[in-house]
Each structure stands twice: as C-alpha cells, then as structure tokens.
Amino acid sequence: MRLFCLMLSFMIVAVCHGQATNPKQDPFVVVLGTLQDGGSPHMGCEKDCCRNPDASRKVVSLGLIDPVSNKKFLLEATPDFVAQTSMLKALLPSSENKLPDGIFLTHAHIGHYAGLMFLGKEAMNSKAVPVYAMPKMKSFLENNGPWSQLVSLNNIQIKPLSDGNWENISPSLRVKPILVPHRDEFSETVGFIIEGPHKKLLFIPDIDKWEKWRTDIVSLIKEVDHALIDGTFFSAAEVGNRNITEIPHPLVQESMQLFNSLSAKEKEKIMFIHFNHTNPLLIEKSPAAMKVKLNGFGIASEGMQIKL
Ligand SMILES: [Zn+2]
Ligand SMILES: [Zn+2]
Ligand SMILES: [Zn+2]
C-alpha cells in the first residue's frame, strides 16, 4: 500500500510538472489588428492605398490568452470589436464567456475605445464586463454619453489603473500601464507591459515622439522580450497635404535610426504596428517593408502569436 501511495504521488508530481512546463499551456498574445484608428479603406481617401484594400484588415488590437486559467483579455476596443471579440473567443474554445474577461484601454481616440458601444443596450447589453482604464479615461467614460450609460446600466464595470502599477489578471499574467505623451484631448494615453511566466511584451500603439517621453525607449526595449510599437507613418511623404506636426508620431524611418545602435538580438524584439492606410508596411513586399526587415526589425501582422 505504501509503495502504491508513493508511486501515485510521483505520478501526480509528474503530471503537475508536465502541465507547468507544457508550452501549449503558456499564455500568449495574439495580434487582432494592425491599423491606425481610421482603418482601411480610409474615409475620403481616393489614393491607390484605398482603391482595393484587403477587406480583412482591422484596427489595432491585441488579444491576451491564458489557457491554464481559461481567461482571455482584449487590449483596445476598436471599431472592429465584434470581429476581434469572436477571433479571441475562437482561440479559447473551452471558455464559455463569449466576451473578453477584461478589456484594457490605452486612450480615448476612436480606434481604441469606440468598440465599447457594442456592449450597450442597442447591441449586446452585456453584464459588468471589466474595463481597465486610467483615471481620466475612467471619468471620460463615466461623464460623457453614450459611454456613461454603459456604466449606469452596468454593461461595463470600470477597473481603475494607475501609472506604473501592475494589475494581476490571472495567476500567470499581469499588466502594467505606462503613461506616454500623446494628443490627450479627452484622456491620458498609456502603453502596456504584459508579463507572463517567461516573457514580457511592451505595447505602445500611439505616442507623439520618442524624444518627448521621460522614459528612454532604447533602455526599455532592453528590459522586455518583445515590443510592439507605434509605426503609424513610415515617412513624412505619406501624409500629403496634412501638416505632419498636427499628427505627430515617431516615423518608422526615425525609429529605425534611433534603434540602429542596438544589437541584432535587441532589434529582433521590435515590431511596428498601428499603420496608417497610407503606410507601405501594409504591403507585404513593398520596398519599405523589405527595408524594415533588412534592418533587423519586424512588422506586426494579424493572427501573429507571441508566447509569454
Ligand atoms: Zn491610434
Ligand atoms: Zn488610403
Ligand atoms: Zn491616439
């Protein structure tokens, strides 16, 4: 009997150990969209970029999946929220919850929060979906219709975030918001660091310019394993008649220059995302896309999965 018990306990330990180290059980990030807020085709654009665009392209969003706790999260509630929510659900079929177990918002620009409207009475009429938001974003949602109705009818339940503080969302996942400079008309803007049992991923879809930030992005890249960062415009040539100083972003050309001194291993961590409809990085083998890859950087694409 004692021998049997000993064998049984060995087996239990082996199974538990196997589960903890099974790479299939590791949490992961999935890219659910890569476009700038206005999407593609872009309202009013008659240029080649919007003549025959790939209709499956979606606005920037990441999914976050933890198979062990059977939980899934969405970063950003975009105008493509409905499709992105079902893409996320399909990646975790064992979860009964049709909706994400939490939604993290970076800021109050349409591409990043307007999808919340689908949770309201006219659509899903959801019950208390946790929405993680910074203080100004929280009060923007609470005090302005139609968002305030989502709060008063308890379609969403706002979970307050604070700059630099980790939020534990499952036994093996935590998320930290970090303030970044951006055109903050309605809310502050944050990026997120997502940490799993093995890796850390930095996500900054929108920032004005790297040099305006008190944090040194080059040092931060060294602290994480992956970085999905603002690649809105490849170069200033794209914006045509619009004044680029009114829509400041780090140009991909400028970012590549800034990161040029990093080692090949560090450069590999960096992937550009949040592409304007005009951005040639949306075209797989464009000279710009080839240049980015030749320089050792990556380009985010929909469906891409990154283990944490
Ligand atoms: Zn944006
Ligand atoms: Zn266009
Ligand atoms: Zn923005």
Side-chain angles (χ1 to χ4, degrees):
M1 185 63 191
R2 265 180 75 182
L3 185 68
F4 175 74
C5 287
L6 200 67
M7 275 171 68
L8 193 68
S9 62
F10 269 134
M11 275 163 70
I12 291 167
V13 168
V15 168
C16 292
H17 185 70
Q19 207 172 49
T21 56
N22 181 356
K24 278 194 180 152
Q25 299 288 309
D26 282 342
F28 64 95
V29 161
V30 57
V31 176
L32 300 174
T34 63
L35 296 173
Q36 179 270 353
D37 304 39
S40 145
H42 202 265
M43 186 90 189
C45 179
E46 289 173 358
K47 289 188 282 189
D48 281 350
C49 51
C50 293
R51 221 155 268 163
N52 292 305
D54 175 352
S56 69
R57 286 177 187 163
K58 291 176 189 66
V59 174
V60 67
S61 169
L62 302 183
L64 186 51
I65 291 175
D66 181 5
V68 173
S69 67
N70 210 22
K71 291 247 161 76
K72 56 197 185 318
F73 302 87
L74 197 60
L75 276 81
E76 311 292 33
T78 82
D80 294 314
F81 182 77
V82 177
Q84 287 166 329
T85 301
S86 66
M87 283 159 78
L88 185 68
K89 169 81 180 80
L91 286 163
L92 194 65
S94 54
S95 163
E96 278 170 22
N97 190 357
K98 288 193 190 82
L99 293 171
D101 296 293
I103 301 169
F104 284 80
L105 303 176
T106 57
H107 66 302
H109 280 162
I110 59 159
H112 303 264
Y113 80 101
L116 291 179
M117 66 184 176
F118 295 109
L119 296 175
K121 213 172 180 181
E122 306 93 316
M124 176 83 192
N125 197 26
S126 64
K127 298 277 166 295
V129 176
V131 171
Y132 294 84
M134 292 290 287
K136 284 185 194 158
M137 183 77 217
K138 179 176 182 283
S139 85
F140 170 75
L141 294 171
E142 285 168 343
N143 297 308
N144 293 282
W147 322 108
S148 52
Q149 188 174 273
L150 297 173
V151 179
S152 61
L153 296 182
N154 199 33
N155 298 127
I156 64 171
Q157 206 162 68
I158 302 183
K159 307 270 181 193
L161 291 173
S162 76
D163 181 32
N165 286 332
W166 288 105
E167 194 67 39
N168 294 313
I169 54 169
S170 87
S172 56
L173 275 176
R174 56 181 194 158
V175 177
K176 177 168 80 173
I178 31 173
L179 282 170
V180 298
H182 190 43
R183 300 176 290 112
D184 295 340
E185 300 95 334
F186 302 112
S187 73
E188 65 282 85
T189 303
V190 289
F192 290 112
I193 296 179
I194 307 157
E195 188 175 33
H198 311 291
K199 309 262 178 198
K200 274 188 204 171
L201 180 143
L202 171 70
F203 175 55
I204 302 180
D206 261 299
I207 187 165
D208 280 1
K209 289 279 181 194
W210 298 121
E211 58 269 25
K212 278 205 211 167
W213 198 19
R214 59 188 155 92
T215 303
D216 176 29
I217 182 66
V218 177
S219 315
L220 188 55
I221 299 279
K222 291 178 184 166
E223 288 171 30
V224 298
D225 302 284
H226 303 280
L228 284 130
I229 56 169
D230 187 338
T232 310
F233 302 111
F234 181 75
S235 73
E238 280 164 59
V239 289
N241 300 331
R242 269 182 96 168
N243 183 356
I244 192 118
T245 56
E246 284 171 18
I247 34 174
H249 288 274
L251 304 173
V252 171
Q253 277 183 332
E254 291 170 353
S255 297
M256 287 199 293
Q257 213 154 33
L258 179 67
F259 302 136
N260 193 34
S261 60
L262 288 171
S263 68
K265 209 171 145 241
E266 295 295 325
K267 284 180 184 168
E268 248 178 42
K269 296 176 177 178
I270 300 167
M271 256 188 286
F272 296 101
I273 198 164
H274 192 269
F275 305 120
N276 199 54
H277 59 114
T278 52
N279 195 322
L281 298 189
L282 283 169
I283 302 157
E284 209 190 329
K285 290 203 165 87
S286 66
M290 303 298 267
K291 195 173 171 188
V292 167
K293 287 178 185 166
L294 214 64
N295 285 344
F297 304 102
I299 300 164
S301 63
E302 200 181 301
M304 193 178 254
Q305 295 186 5
I306 303 165
K307 284 213 168 119
L308 296 176

